Amino acid sequence: QVQLVESGGGLVQAGESLRLSCVTSGLDFNGYAMTWFRRAPGKEREAVSCINWSGATTAYADSVKGRFTISRDNAENTLWLEMDNLKPEDTATYYCAAHDYQYCSGSWSEPLKYTYWGQGAQVTVSS
């Protein structure tokens, strides 16, 4: 059974940092690019950042570029998202997902290209 479990969310003030973790099990972690998505209340799900299977290549949404850093440890089957200089507009539920490819393909921002998802972690940023 494949499981992706996020943790590390919380309530912070604008300008502060949080680090999200996604621990996976039952998944050939090395075989997947991994992506963080988020969904804010009343908005569409948004792809935040992708990392390829080896960790050598990353991609970011313009809205988080320069503030968020994605990383992974294949030996620990774990994905992280370091979020710095958080803004109120970053408030959302954050999800990790396993891409259907090993690389961050041109479709990395499309939710339909993901088979496995975590249950989400809430991040709230107050102004």
Side-chain angles (χ1 to χ4, degrees):
Q1 181 181 359
V2 174
Q3 288 190 309
L4 286 70
V5 180
E6 300 96 336
S7 62
L11 171 63
V12 298
Q13 292 189 329
E16 294 184 339
S17 299
L18 275 177
R19 190 189 199 203
L20 300 180
S21 300
C22 171
V23 178
T24 72
S25 60
L27 182 73
D28 179 18
F29 192 64
N30 288 10
Y32 295 87
M34 297 294 296
T35 296
W36 288 97
F37 285 83
R38 66 186 180 186
R39 174 173 275 167
K43 294 189 175 182
E44 296 279 327
R45 184 165 33 185
E46 175 189 18
V48 174
S49 182
C50 180
I51 187 167
N52 79 327
W53 71 275
S54 69
T57 305
T58 58
Y60 295 91
D62 288 343
S63 57
V64 306
K65 204 171 290 183
R67 300 187 298 119
F68 289 13
T69 303
I70 191 170
S71 60
R72 66 189 292 163
D73 184 333
N74 287 349
E76 297 294 328
N77 295 328
T78 301
L79 174 76
W80 293 280
L81 184 69
E82 177 72 33
M83 305 182 291
D84 297 320
N85 189 23
L86 282 160
K87 303 176 180 181
E89 52 263 42
D90 295 318
T91 295
T93 302
Y94 285 72
Y95 303 88
C96 62
H99 196 24
D100 291 344
Y101 307 94
Q102 287 188 304
Y103 296 90
C104 299
S105 67
S107 61
W108 75 269
S109 63
E110 298 176 21
L112 290 179
K113 298 299 183 181
Y114 293 80
T115 300
Y116 302 111
W117 293 81
Q119 83 291 346
Q122 179 64 40
V123 172
T124 304
V125 185
S126 64
S127 57

